[in-house]
Amino acid sequence: MSFPDDHHSITGAAAKRVLVAGATGRFGQIADLLLARGHTVRAATRDPAHPQAARLAAAGADVVRADFEDVGSLAAAARGMDTVFASGSAHRAGPAGEERHGRNLADALSAAGAPHVVFVSGAGADMPTGVAVLDAKRAVEQRIAELRLAVTVIAPVYLMENLFNPWNLAALQAGTLPTPVPPALRLQQVATCDILALAVLAIEHPDSFTGERIEVASDAPTGEEAAAVLSAVIGRDFTARQVVGPGLPPRLAALFAWLEHNPSPVDIGALHRRFPGITWHSFDNWVKDQQARLSQPSGTVPPAAGRAISPDKDSCGHRHPAV
Ligand SMILES: NC(=O)c1ccc[n+]([C@@H]2O[C@H](COP(=O)([O-])OP(=O)(O)OC[C@H]3O[C@@H](n4cnc5c(N)ncnc54)[C@H](OP(=O)(O)O)[C@@H]3O)[C@@H](O)[C@H]2O)c1
């Protein structure tokens, strides 16, 4: 499937009204992509005064208050929308919270009669795994299916942006590339902006994407290869080391152990052939895009995860109009 209009703005009948749930979160920059393509965006947050929400309001989004704990607020936000884009909240709320939030979201979208939902889940979450983080996503996918919502599930293996997770920052500053699996093992990864580009495609072409569950990855470097790329691009030495030890929350330790046995579920070649309009990032290209964020003067001190969108550039270096 290929969409020749992929790089052009949408006008007229093809423009969609899209609710971005969790608009201040790590996938919130989809709001910028949608606005840049001419869609109408409603951005949901518990705190409209949040800097990211205020920035989106200035960029043209309709910022509304909604809480994953409050079904009524989510249903109200979803009413009148063509599509709802959402992901989970595992890092903020833990697996039990993510499951509760996802069920609330599904119930709200059902009540609101949402015509199409694009939901970011996780690779492997369509099967029981015994890993709480994945089983919570599976429960949400199941609830969405039970309610017969018209859904497109996008399921990433491992985000390249995980490098910016708080528990990885000290290692990066010390010249270590933290990897969740042994450094010699290939681990499939994907850049957030590639996930979002696919989500935009699904939002714009619901007839082609409804009912699809697409697991995604854009490259599969070993930790050793990734460290070499980082060293070359950033200009200081990085050594890959597996993240282990008592500092790691148990839910992440379980996920990382699972990843070690399931590091490469995606047929990357087939995926990229199917969606040739997406700029699937190699790890090398992603690091080049992220060079400024990875090369802070005091070492590697990126801004807080999920809140790092500068006014005129998204996290993959795409330029947007200044606000
Ligand atoms: N595959 C991978 O490698 C990978 C890596 C990282 C994350 N993920 C997944 O990506 C998803 C999102 O990441 P994240 O968990 O770090 O969350 P996040 O996207 O940073 O934030 C969650 C969003 O939910 C909103 N929210 C609304 N009601 C909430 C409530 N009651 N409690 C908490 N948040 C609420 C928050 O907005 P307000 O605060 O503005 O209301 C926030 O924007 C998770 O499902 C996670 O598992 C996958």
Side-chain angles (χ1 to χ4, degrees), residues 185-232:
L185 188 67
R186 293 200 176 283
L187 174 64
Q188 291 188 340
Q189 308 185 28
V190 62
T192 296
C193 59
D194 297 341
I195 296 171
L196 299 184
L198 185 59
V200 169
L201 209 53
I203 289 166
E204 292 178 354
H205 303 275
D207 293 345
S208 303
F209 279 88
T210 294
E212 290 258 13
R213 184 180 191 284
I214 307 170
E215 301 205 337
V216 292
S218 55
D219 200 0
T222 66
E224 289 158 353
E225 289 167 347
V229 166
L230 209 55
S231 303

Side-chain angles (χ1 to χ4, degrees), residues 242-274:
Q242 186 173 6
V243 184
V244 286
L248 192 63
R251 68 174 192 277
L252 289 180
L255 177 64
F256 291 178
W258 186 86
L259 276 175
E260 193 171 332
H261 292 99
N262 302 272
S264 300
V266 176
D267 182 341
I268 291 181
L271 177 73
H272 295 190
R273 280 192 299 280
R274 183 178 174 198

